[in-house]
Amino acid sequence: MQMDTDFWRGRRVLLTGHTGFKGAWLSFLLKNLGAELTGLSLAPNTTPSLFAALKLDQEMRSHIGDIRDAALVRQVVQACQPEVVLHLAAQALVRPSYREPLATFATNIMGSAHVLEALRGQDSARVAVMVTTDKVYRNLEQPDPYPETAELGGHDPYSASKAASELLIASYRDSFLAEQGLTVAVARAGNVIGGGDWSEDRLLPDAIRAWESGQTLQVRRPQSVRPWQHVLEPLAAYLSLAQAGYQNAHLAQAWNFGPDGAATVREVVDLARQEFGRGDVDFAVNVDGVHEAGLLSLDASKAREQLSIEPRWDLSVAVSRSVRWYADFLAGTSAHELCQRDIDAYF
């Protein structure tokens, strides 16, 4: 699908998690489309942050707060009267979920409940896209990609919290929200890369930090397989789903958004190093530490067949554009110019 600027221009949109990596990109994209945008999120937790670099607090109504605060969520929803809700706010990293499991469950489960509860009885809202993850599936370490009908599960607290949130979302949709005319869809996206991510324990940010400072990148699990995609792929899919779901209640389902195929961590690192032009890497032989899935890929054929959504950039383009974003940012190019460059190229 193509972005319908007439649909988004002046549309009241609530975006949770707007200060995060994906949230900042999506905020910038929605402002490009002319949406009337309100955000609710914690303050950025990285330095630098894409949200700050893009000066998005000057471009939208930005509420800094915690979605675990039910009263605050309701207050923001009532104030902005959203027509479209895009729920991205989450504790979104596997390894930190082992360190803080209760915070992860509270944010990802009860935070989602607070958003949905605030929408109950909110007549302005027509569609909500609830973003979970590709890791909601019970991982069998199988080569076959997981379709939307595969069994949900979760070994680590992050995956389990997201799988549990999907049961919650389905319950709210079936018990309350469908009858008030609110289309509640779930989006499960693969591993996302792109410029402007400075989170810890993410492959490309770790690589850029190491190589820029002349250090060796330590790679824990080089043979792990993931469905890597550029950040604009799932964001365009979320907007396409919201656009279609605004008029079609039958799209209140779960949707996979991912690339054609998957790739190992080693393949991504090799492509990144080639684009960056230098960098030492230490690929671990013996894997230590907490459990992380080794093999994961998504079957996104339903989105392709029913929504006409399919990836535009393959892995080499996604990695190349991501690394080039960082290199040019470090050389002094503004985040605004770099994000606009990628958006123009993608669309």
Side-chain angles (χ1 to χ4, degrees):
M1 294 181 64
Q2 300 293 323
M3 291 299 98
D4 182 353
T5 54
D6 289 336
F7 173 84
W8 291 102
R9 189 178 298 113
R11 185 76 61 187
R12 296 190 306 278
V13 179
L14 172 63
L15 170 60
T16 71
H18 69 292
T19 65
F21 164 56
K22 288 171 70 177
W25 267 99
L26 188 51
S27 296
F28 189 76
L29 182 53
L30 283 164
K31 293 307 295 181
N32 266 257
L33 292 168
E36 184 181 321
L37 184 59
T38 299
L40 173 60
S41 180
L42 296 175
N45 63 354
T46 65
T47 304
S49 80
L50 184 59
F51 179 79
L54 290 171
K55 300 178 181 179
L56 286 167
D57 60 331
Q58 302 173 21
E59 301 291 330
M60 59 187 294
R61 295 187 185 92
S62 175
H63 298 272
I64 301 301
D66 197 325
I67 60 168
R68 290 176 292 182
D69 183 342
L72 173 64
V73 175
R74 177 172 291 280
Q75 177 184 341
V76 171
V77 168
Q78 290 178 345
C80 72
Q81 296 286 303
E83 299 168 271
V84 177
V85 177
L86 301 163
H87 176 52
L88 274 67
Q91 194 301 95
L93 297 171
V94 171
R95 286 166 66 85
S97 78
Y98 282 103
R99 296 194 296 268
E100 296 186 325
L102 292 182
T104 299
F105 284 116
T107 299
N108 294 349
I109 299 175
M110 290 309 300
S112 298
H114 294 157
V115 171
L116 294 169
E117 177 64 19
L119 294 174
R120 189 152 68 100
Q122 185 63 246
D123 294 336
S124 66
R126 292 284 301 277
V127 61
V129 175
M130 310 293 288
V131 175
T132 59
T133 177
D134 58 347
K135 297 172 182 63
V136 295
Y137 297 109
R138 179 170 176 254
N139 196 303
L140 304 175
E141 302 290 346
Q142 65 182 27
D144 296 332
Y146 294 96
E148 289 85 350
T149 53
E151 181 183 1
L152 301 185
H155 182 288
D156 58 88
Y158 168 68
S159 301
S161 69
K162 283 294 195 174
S165 76
E166 293 223 8
L167 294 176
L168 165 82
I169 293 164
S171 175
Y172 260 88
R173 178 176 57 219
D174 296 342
S175 299
F176 310 114
L177 302 178
E179 65 184 24
Q180 74 181 49
L182 176 57
T183 301
V184 181
V186 169
R188 304 165 179 166
N191 283 48
V192 172
I193 58 176
D197 185 6
W198 285 282
S199 302
E200 294 182 3
D201 287 324
R202 281 189 178 149
L203 185 58
L204 284 192
D206 286 349
I208 298 300
R209 276 189 289 264
W211 296 339
E212 177 63 18
S213 61
Q215 298 178 354
T216 299
L217 172 65
Q218 304 293 327
V219 178
R220 296 187 306 272
R221 292 174 167 84
Q223 299 310 313
S224 292
V225 174
R226 295 288 186 271
W228 308 93
Q229 58 185 332
H230 190 274
V231 63
L232 286 174
E233 301 279 12
L235 299 188
Y238 301 160
L239 295 183
S240 294
L241 177 58
Q243 202 174 287
Y246 193 87
Q247 299 289 350
N248 188 348
H250 295 295
L251 300 182
Q253 310 168 29
W255 300 89
N256 284 344
F257 299 124
D260 295 323
T264 66
V265 170
R266 181 185 289 271
E267 289 175 272
V268 175
V269 171
D270 287 343
L271 288 169
R273 182 165 48 175
Q274 178 181 343
E275 180 66 34
F276 198 70
R278 66 184 189 277
D280 296 325
V281 184
D282 180 12
F283 291 109
V285 176
N286 298 313
V287 178
D288 296 319
V290 297
H291 174 273
E292 295 177 84
L295 180 59
L296 176 61
S297 61
L298 288 180
D299 178 354
S301 59
K302 186 174 89 164
R304 182 181 298 107
E305 293 163 4
Q306 298 185 32
L307 297 175
S308 299
I309 293 174
E310 54 186 319
R312 295 183 175 180
W313 287 348
D314 63 17
L315 179 64
S316 62
V317 175
V319 173
S320 174
R321 297 202 73 96
S322 300
V323 173
R324 198 181 315 156
W325 195 105
Y326 285 110
D328 290 347
F329 182 82
L330 292 169
T333 307
S334 73
H336 187 286
E337 181 178 341
L338 294 172
C339 289
Q340 192 65 57
R341 182 178 72 184
D342 280 351
I343 288 172
D344 291 343
Y346 183 84
F347 288 104

